[in-house]
Amino acid sequence: MSKRCYSILSALLAIVSSFPLSAQSKSVDAEGHKWWQHAVFYEIYPRSFADSNNDGIGDLKGITSKMAYLHDLGVDAIWISPCFPSPQVDFGYDVSDYENIDPMYGTLADFDSMVAEGRKNGIRIILDFVVNHSSDRHQWFVDSKSSRTAAHRDWFVWRDGKGPGQPPNNWTSTFGGSAWTLDPATNQYYYHYFYVEQPDLNWRNPVVEKAMLDTTTWWYKRGVSGFRLDAVDTLFEDPKLTDNPVLPGKNKLGDPNTEEIHNKKLPEVHDVLKKLRAVADQSDAVLIGETWTSNIDELKEYYGSHDNELQMPMDFMFTTVDKLSPPEFRRQIAQVDAAGGWPVFVISNHDKVRSYNRYGDGKNNDAIARLMGAFYLTLRGTPIMYYGEELGMENNDPKRKEDVKDPIGRTGWPKEIGRDGERTPMQWNSDANAGFSTAKPWLPVPPSYKTHNVAKESDDPNSVLSMYKKVLALRHTNEALIDGNYAALNEDDPNVMSYLRSYKGKAVLVALNMSSASKKVSFNLAEKGFGSAGLKSLVATPGASVKGMDVSLEPYGVFIGEVVR
Ligand code: NOJ
Ligand code: CA
């Protein structure tokens, strides 16, 4: 090749590789499915994933160094919990600059390298956009607080008290106490649904809206493929500040229970989501919602009446099934499957006790962890994993109040112990601190890291990790799992959860024994269009066997098989 040709080619390559990943692959398949409908997402809590500079806190270079691991696992996109500059009162959910990286995690250059390494490994980057509030140290709030006439005064929610020493109304912070804090200098209260250090932004101010929309564009241009939107239901408050109805009893933090009808889920939320979506669509980006809903109608609203809000509102109702209950899971799946939007399944996150503990019975936890992975990773919809779930990582809760890092754990101890337990360092190997860091990690790893870590489990074909890898590999290659419909099977069975995923005459049957006794189940798929069929095992636990259309499963056994005729 001539020198000139070579330099034109390298210039072209440089241009192409500087495109955001999202712009490179506007993927839509024959079913009209977008890239995020085929992707497996993985939440990373950056403090706890991998520590490159051995200061005891994870960082972006650490994440970059683990891209190959994530690729081999079968992950297509990582959602990184907030890594922006922050005083870390709520470990990043108090942002003091939306367009930068906290020095503890690295630099913008490190971020760019992470995006590039992700691209090499086919992994997109999703950031966490804390839309409801900033940090009280954000320049916007510092200015807002400086005087009643400050340029940013109306960027936050300021009100006069009801009377001397009385907040404007009875709204309480979800992290304890009144949601209003008095600023003595200007003698007004500001509103914070979360910690005192997390003042709510005033989304009724169009200038705030513009600043926040522009922030998303700024990150899309930097190669981000979407956002997980934090706390979307708290964006707006009733401007009349009507008191919330008081309910009997007190919550874990000692505050009166209230029905939060005047400061949550206001209809205006949907106008903002539409605007965020319009911007996201320009970059083929995805919006994932932290959408706590109590029924399917509420969840449906988040997709938007014309598929014009969130593509991926998380279905947290699924996570509230905290027991291995096939009837309850069937009910939840049927609802979200019929809702019209694309289902989004999650079993763990940084705010919730790990699935290993929630579903585990104390004796068969590994088997149950394998089963839960095989379950939600084979449903129709997009799964969002939580780091370490693939290892069977367990909660390591603090035993003493003085060890608690999460402020709500200190306020609410011992009834509310906080969220440290589910945020401990990723377990890479059997070395000190599970290979996360040579320094003392910010949170301790549980003793079980010696057996539950990437190195150990990679060598064991029956480990939780091996099950996750096998199922994820199948999910990426099997058409019925990629694009197929979901149909519940044997719906009266109280113990074995089973279903069929079928696509263009091909089908995969999944049978999961959610009980502690061995079970034999028979299937008749004639009604589903698969008469006189047999089953060929694709992924199964060691005690599972198949004969014709009969499947035998050991306690908590898994069988995933192709339907053959
Ligand atoms: C939800 C986040 O997941 C949680 O960790 C955080 O404390 C609150 N939103 C406040 O941002
Ligand atoms: Ca570090």
Side-chain angles (χ1 to χ4, degrees):
M1 192 188 304
S2 75
K3 251 190 174 176
R4 194 179 132 71
C5 269
Y6 181 79
S7 54
I8 292 173
L9 189 66
S10 22
L12 278 174
L13 278 176
I15 293 168
V16 170
S17 65
S18 72
F19 282 168
L21 183 74
S22 47
Q24 282 175 17
S25 48
K26 291 216 173 224
S27 56
V28 178
D29 73 359
E31 301 306 304
H33 286 162
K34 305 275 174 46
W35 67 265
W36 47 267
Q37 289 175 289
H38 289 167
V40 171
F41 288 68
Y42 183 97
E43 180 190 356
I44 290 181
Y45 201 65
R47 293 180 79 84
S48 296
F49 196 60
D51 179 13
S52 74
N53 63 348
N54 291 309
D55 62 356
I57 295 175
D59 42 60
L60 298 192
K61 278 189 177 156
I63 298 175
T64 306
S65 72
K66 301 296 184 187
M67 285 295 179
Y69 165 75
L70 294 166
H71 170 84
D72 292 349
L73 175 60
V75 166
D76 307 289
I78 52 175
W79 145 33
I80 304 174
S81 297
C83 52
F84 316 104
S86 161
Q88 303 289 327
V89 171
D90 193 13
F91 300 114
Y93 284 96
D94 45 324
V95 178
S96 54
D97 179 355
Y98 285 99
E99 295 179 359
N100 213 331
I101 297 296
D102 194 296
M104 159 196 313
Y105 294 134
T107 61
L108 280 170
D110 295 335
F111 177 84
D112 295 340
S113 307
M114 180 179 70
V115 172
E117 187 63 18
R119 189 178 287 124
K120 270 195 225 154
N121 284 280
I123 293 177
R124 296 167 188 262
I125 311 295
I126 307 296
L127 289 182
D128 203 320
F129 195 26
V130 190
V131 278
N132 174 67
H133 48 270
S134 72
S135 156
D136 63 343
R137 308 254 198 98
H138 195 298
Q139 276 313 307
W140 297 342
F141 189 73
V142 172
D143 180 58
S144 183
K145 198 178 166 190
S146 66
S147 88
R148 285 196 182 204
T149 55
H152 291 86
R153 185 66 170 184
D154 196 31
W155 282 48
F156 295 86
V157 182
W158 290 97
R159 291 289 189 282
D160 294 333
K162 247 187 191 166
Q166 281 186 294
N169 67 10
N170 76 344
W171 297 351
T172 51
S173 157
T174 196
F175 288 158
S178 170
W180 297 97
T181 289
L182 178 69
D183 168 46
T186 58
N187 197 28
Q188 275 195 316
Y189 288 80
Y190 68 89
Y191 176 68
H192 50 89
Y193 184 77
F194 297 95
Y195 292 124
V196 176
E197 296 87 348
Q198 293 169 301
D200 273 50
L201 284 155
N202 176 15
W203 275 88
R204 295 188 189 278
N205 180 345
V207 190
V208 169
E209 182 186 280
K210 179 169 184 326
M212 295 300 270
L213 294 180
D214 287 353
T215 297
T216 64
T217 307
W218 192 87
W219 283 109
Y220 292 141
K221 285 191 182 147
R222 224 168 173 118
V224 161
S225 296
F227 287 96
R228 175 264 189 185
L229 303 177
D230 185 64
V232 283
D233 51 5
T234 56
L235 284 189
F236 286 88
E237 301 77 36
D238 168 19
K240 291 196 200 122
L241 305 189
T242 315
D243 275 345
N244 280 327
V246 178
L247 301 170
K250 293 197 167 169
N251 66 21
K252 280 186 182 176
L253 296 166
D255 294 317
N257 288 321
T258 56
E259 206 183 340
E260 296 178 309
I261 52 173
H262 296 298
N263 56 345
K264 267 183 127 173
K265 299 196 173 110
L266 266 58
E268 292 91 324
V269 166
H270 297 282
D271 302 333
V272 168
L273 295 182
K274 286 186 187 86
K275 289 178 186 168
L276 285 162
R277 173 65 181 274
V279 178
D281 279 348
Q282 289 168 21
S283 297
D284 194 23
V286 71
L287 296 178
I288 304 171
E290 191 206 10
T291 37
W292 292 98
T293 56
S294 33
N295 57 58
I296 196 69
D297 290 331
E298 274 181 17
L299 184 71
K300 270 164 127 171
E301 283 185 28
Y302 283 110
Y303 291 106
S305 46
H306 299 94
D307 175 27
N308 52 354
E309 297 188 26
L310 304 175
Q311 297 102 318
M312 287 178 53
M314 291 189 238
D315 175 8
F316 285 123
M317 293 170 294
F318 186 77
T319 61
T320 60
V321 186
D322 272 350
K323 49 185 190 291
L324 295 177
S325 163
E328 192 49 27
F329 280 129
R330 274 182 211 116
R331 202 175 64 79
Q332 294 282 352
I333 297 166
Q335 273 193 355
V336 72
D337 200 63
W342 186 251
V344 180
F345 294 107
V346 181
I347 58 172
S348 294
N349 69 28
H350 63 285
D351 295 326
K352 213 167 159 63
V353 170
R354 281 186 175 271
S355 49
Y356 190 80
N357 301 77
R358 294 205 332 277
Y359 296 104
D361 63 356
K363 278 190 275 172
N364 301 285
N365 286 30
D366 282 4
I368 294 171
R370 285 192 289 267
L371 172 136
M372 284 306 292
F375 177 28
Y376 89 112
L377 298 174
T378 54
L379 291 174
R380 188 186 81 93
T382 297
I384 307 181
M385 297 166 58
Y386 183 48
Y387 79 96
E389 177 196 300
E390 73 275 23
L391 306 174
M393 256 176 76
E394 64 175 329
N395 255 60
N396 192 26
D397 294 319
K399 311 286 174 298
R400 308 175 310 169
K401 185 178 175 182
E402 53 270 39
D403 296 332
V404 177
K405 299 277 192 316
D406 184 9
I408 50 166
R410 292 199 299 270
T411 314
W413 191 270
K415 280 192 189 154
E416 167 61 71
I417 62 171
R419 300 163 290 180
D420 295 351
E422 53 262 33
R423 299 172 174 182
T424 58
M426 175 73 173
Q427 296 163 194
W428 294 104
N429 57 42
S430 311
D431 295 347
N433 307 320
F436 163 76
S437 178
T438 53
K440 185 176 178 219
W442 77 287
L443 286 174
V445 294
S448 57
Y449 84 87
K450 289 268 182 199
T451 49
H452 290 70
N453 63 60
V454 173
K456 264 246 150 74
E457 293 189 44
S458 297
D459 292 339
D460 174 1
N462 294 320
S463 64
V464 179
L465 179 60
S466 294
M467 173 61 87
Y468 267 74
K469 277 191 180 170
K470 282 183 239 173
V471 175
L472 288 173
L474 187 63
R475 192 193 152 92
H476 282 106
T477 47
N478 185 293
E479 279 187 311
L481 292 182
I482 295 172
D483 280 324
N485 293 332
Y486 163 90
L489 299 173
N490 295 3
E491 290 188 67
D492 295 332
D493 192 323
N495 298 304
V496 179
M497 171 86 206
S498 48
Y499 44 93
L500 196 69
R501 298 285 317 280
S502 59
Y503 181 73
K504 292 192 176 164
K506 291 189 176 166
V508 166
L509 182 147
V510 181
L512 308 158
N513 182 1
M514 295 196 168
S515 81
S516 58
S518 296
K519 297 285 170 197
K520 185 172 172 189
V521 270
S522 302
F523 297 100
N524 180 348
L525 302 182
E527 262 185 25
K528 311 281 179 207
F530 294 89
S532 57
L535 292 167
K536 185 182 128 212
S537 176
L538 296 170
V539 175
T541 44
S545 61
V546 61
K547 198 164 177 218
M549 292 305 287
D550 296 338
V551 175
S552 299
L553 292 162
E554 77 272 40
Y556 307 110
V558 170
F559 175 82
I560 305 173
E562 189 182 333
V563 178
V564 285
R565 293 194 248 203

